[in-house]
């Protein structure tokens, strides 16, 4: 489990170099950014039809919404909208969240921080975002 969680973050960090990551809110974005994940955009009160403006410059999007009923509804709507706009959606990361039993995106930083302390990997400083 520990290694799978660390690999998940590493893969997401690598993917974020040239793909947009779309999350529900500010806490989700902050959690990911503290792990060195880039190009994180929040829905944060935006109309779904405005998403193409938000994601300008990206052709591939990783929808990373919570796995609760609310997140599932958002994911279905976003998939329909962005697919119809020609975006390539990468859904592997949500499936990996499901496998890792990670229900909420905002939990990711704390979970990684918990496993990081004994894994031999670099420590994460909670006071500042991790470098890219």
């Amino acid at each position: 489990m520990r290694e799978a969680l660390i690999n998940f973050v590493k893969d997401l960090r690598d993917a974020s170099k040239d793909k947009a990551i779309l999350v529900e809110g500010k806490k989700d974005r902050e959690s990911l950014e503290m792990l060195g994940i880039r190009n994180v955009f929040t829905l944060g009160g935006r109309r779904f039809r405005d998403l193409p403006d938000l994601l300008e410059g990206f052709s591939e999007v990783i929808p990373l919404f919570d796995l609760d009923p609310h997140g599932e509804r958002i994911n279905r709507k976003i998939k329909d909208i962005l697919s119809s706009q020609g975006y390539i959606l990468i859904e592997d990361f949500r499936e990996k969240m499901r496998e890792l039993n990670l229900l909420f995106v905002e939990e990711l930083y704390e979970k990684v921080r918990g496993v990081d302390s004994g894994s031999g990997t670099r420590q994460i400083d909670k006071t500042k975002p991790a470098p890219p």
Side-chain angles (χ1 to χ4, degrees):
M1 171 72 166
R2 181 169 89 192
E3 187 174 327
L5 188 57
I6 291 169
N7 286 336
F8 173 76
V9 171
K10 181 187 176 299
D11 292 344
L12 190 56
R13 189 179 299 135
D14 289 344
S16 74
K17 291 176 183 173
D18 61 355
K19 296 168 185 58
I21 299 176
L22 193 57
V23 297
E24 289 178 54
K26 183 175 145 183
K27 288 182 181 179
D28 298 331
R29 184 186 69 224
E30 289 170 353
S31 178
L32 296 179
E33 287 176 345
M34 285 192 289
L35 292 167
I37 297 166
R38 304 186 222 176
N39 296 317
V40 182
F41 299 91
T42 63
L43 293 177
R46 298 182 204 289
R47 294 180 300 220
F48 289 167
R49 69 175 181 249
D50 293 337
L51 287 176
D53 291 334
L54 177 68
L55 301 171
E56 189 173 338
F58 292 96
S59 59
E60 296 177 276
V61 178
I62 298 169
L64 202 61
F65 304 113
D66 295 340
L67 299 176
D68 62 350
H70 179 70
E72 295 292 353
R73 280 190 304 275
I74 290 173
N75 191 61
R76 281 192 300 276
K77 289 178 185 179
I78 296 300
K79 274 175 55 173
D80 291 344
I81 292 167
L82 294 181
S83 295
S84 71
Q85 297 284 327
Y87 286 92
I88 297 166
L89 298 176
I90 300 166
E91 299 184 68
D92 302 356
F93 289 96
R94 281 190 93 235
E95 290 309 311
K96 190 65 177 177
M97 279 179 61
R98 205 176 307 281
E99 291 171 22
L100 292 168
N101 210 18
L102 184 67
L103 189 62
F104 299 103
V105 174
E106 69 185 59
E107 295 176 340
L108 187 58
Y109 175 77
E110 289 300 326
K111 288 197 181 238
V112 170
R113 186 168 166 240
V115 299
D116 227 15
S117 60
S119 69
T121 60
R122 78 174 171 90
Q123 292 291 317
I124 297 173
D125 183 357
K126 191 172 180 175
T127 62
K128 60 184 177 185

